[in-house]
Amino acid sequence: MPELPEVETIRRDLEKEIVSKRVKSVEVHGTRSVRRHGSDEEFIGRLEGRKVLSVKRSGKYLLIGLDADQDVLVMHLGMSGQLLRVKSPKEPMAKHTHVVITFTQAGQLRFVDPRTFGELFVTRQDDLEKAVPELAHLGFDPVDDVMSWTRFGALLANRHAQLKPLLMDQRFVAGIGNIYSDEILFAAGLKYDRPSDSLSAQEVRRLYRGMVETLSEAIKHRGSSLADEQYRDLFGEVGDYQGQHQVYDREGLACRRCRHEIVRLKVGGRSSFMCEVCQV
Ligand SMILES: [Zn+2]
């Protein structure tokens, strides 16, 4: 599932590609992708003729500001969604293309989603938090919201939770999932099950720095594509950060820091990876 670095990579490219472009026409081929609307036509009607004003991100949601009625086009990629920028409408349509947005100048944006957990919908800015209650309770953004270590330490101390599930809790911090929580904890030298209120001041600083640096590096490398190559950027290319992973998906391989074998374990039903020497 795309996490913050993948969604942010798409957001930055989208901003360059579609801001100030006007929607000429919209086609819906998969009704499930616009399931919040009463009909395909309602979704289409709220998009056609609109100009894109902004491209923002909230957690793993992309929010496209439109020029009329304070409307916003919300996109969530779900498990397997891809947004593809296509220069010419003549380019062959990928399988599972559910929505096609054509702009008056320069090409299309296509939403491809084999597993159909992703979705697109248009809502008024004022109704956004009602439409997506998760957004109303979203924690801080680890890339956009700069925070002092003492403030971060206080947030950790307020919770009595294991570190890995806490990092993945969207109400605590937004945008981190299974891959980056493992990478962040390795960078911080901390074990997944450490209680959040047990960290020393130095460990709090290591965790904060590990989080910010890991996510920034991952964005610089345009996100992670795993063996399934499900994550693609706006131009259909795979990310590059998987080659930098220290622990994720490296079971049995040597730790890059101490050469001890990386182990895989189940945490909350998900595969997690760690070095038992470097992480305590
Ligand atoms: Zn190690």
Side-chain angles (χ1 to χ4, degrees):
M1 184 193 272
E3 301 180 29
L4 186 152
E6 290 78 34
V7 179
E8 179 63 17
T9 300
I10 293 171
R11 189 201 68 76
R12 291 180 184 185
D13 287 339
L14 261 184
E15 191 168 51
K16 287 180 210 139
E17 292 285 323
I18 68 167
V19 167
S20 83
K21 298 282 191 300
R22 195 172 286 282
V23 176
K24 182 180 167 195
S25 61
V26 179
E27 292 162 45
V28 176
H29 301 294
T31 295
R32 206 175 124 71
S33 298
V34 298
R35 55 188 171 270
R36 288 193 196 232
H37 290 274
S39 66
D40 297 355
E41 288 69 30
E42 198 215 344
F43 172 75
I44 293 167
R46 288 184 78 168
L47 263 186
E48 281 185 348
R50 299 292 169 77
K51 193 165 142 188
V52 173
L53 298 182
S54 60
V55 182
K56 298 196 169 121
R57 178 184 58 75
S58 196
K60 299 175 195 170
Y61 288 84
L62 286 165
L63 308 174
I64 316 289
L66 303 171
D67 67 344
D69 301 334
Q70 287 195 310
D71 271 357
V72 51
L73 167 63
V74 183
M75 304 194 202
H76 193 278
L77 300 174
M79 301 290 285
S80 60
Q82 299 172 355
L83 274 175
L84 298 174
R85 182 86 173 101
V86 173
K87 292 287 177 196
S88 161
K90 288 185 189 131
E91 283 190 38
M93 202 85 81
K95 220 173 149 185
H96 307 294
T97 299
H98 301 311
V99 178
V100 178
I101 301 172
T102 303
F103 295 93
T104 44
Q105 322 98 331
Q108 298 181 326
L109 193 60
R110 297 178 181 175
F111 181 64
V112 180
D113 188 12
R115 299 184 63 185
T116 69
F117 288 106
E119 63 169 334
L120 275 65
F121 64 94
V122 181
T123 181
R124 283 177 57 85
Q125 185 73 45
D126 293 344
D127 296 333
L128 189 56
E129 293 192 346
K130 208 163 57 190
V132 190
E134 190 187 324
L135 292 180
H137 306 286
L138 213 54
F140 69 97
D141 191 283
V143 172
D144 291 343
D145 302 335
V146 179
M147 187 182 289
S148 69
W149 293 333
T150 42
R151 170 94 185 107
F152 184 58
L155 290 179
L156 288 169
N158 275 338
R159 307 286 288 260
H160 179 69
Q162 294 188 352
L163 287 180
K164 172 150 170 131
L166 185 61
L167 286 175
M168 290 173 62
D169 181 349
Q170 303 303 302
R171 289 164 299 179
F172 178 72
V173 53
I176 299 173
N178 204 35
I179 297 176
Y180 292 103
S181 55
D182 280 1
E183 291 298 317
I184 290 165
L185 288 170
F186 177 83
L190 294 168
K191 209 164 158 235
Y192 68 95
D193 61 354
R194 283 286 300 279
S196 59
D197 53 357
S198 75
L199 304 193
S200 68
Q202 193 196 24
E203 287 172 330
V204 167
R205 285 200 290 272
R206 287 204 322 247
L207 182 56
Y208 186 75
R209 194 186 305 137
M211 179 175 70
V212 173
E213 288 181 359
T214 298
L215 296 171
S216 307
E217 273 300 297
I219 294 169
K220 221 181 278 173
H221 284 270
R222 304 186 61 77
S224 301
S225 297
L226 302 179
D228 61 13
E229 298 199 344
Q230 205 128 67
Y231 164 69
R232 298 286 177 139
D233 67 17
L234 200 56
F235 310 105
E237 303 292 329
V238 293
D240 182 34
Y241 191 65
Q242 61 282 359
Q244 310 291 317
H245 286 183
Q246 302 292 310
V247 287
Y248 193 83
D249 212 14
R250 298 193 71 240
E251 184 187 16
L253 298 175
C255 171
R256 299 191 204 272
R257 201 180 283 164
C258 76
R259 314 308 296 166
H260 195 265
E261 221 174 74
I262 301 297
V263 296
R264 177 214 291 257
L265 25 93
K266 288 270 180 205
V267 179
R270 308 282 301 272
S271 279
S272 292
F273 301 85
M274 68 171 292
C275 173
E276 287 173 307
V277 174
C278 295
Q279 294 174 254
V280 292

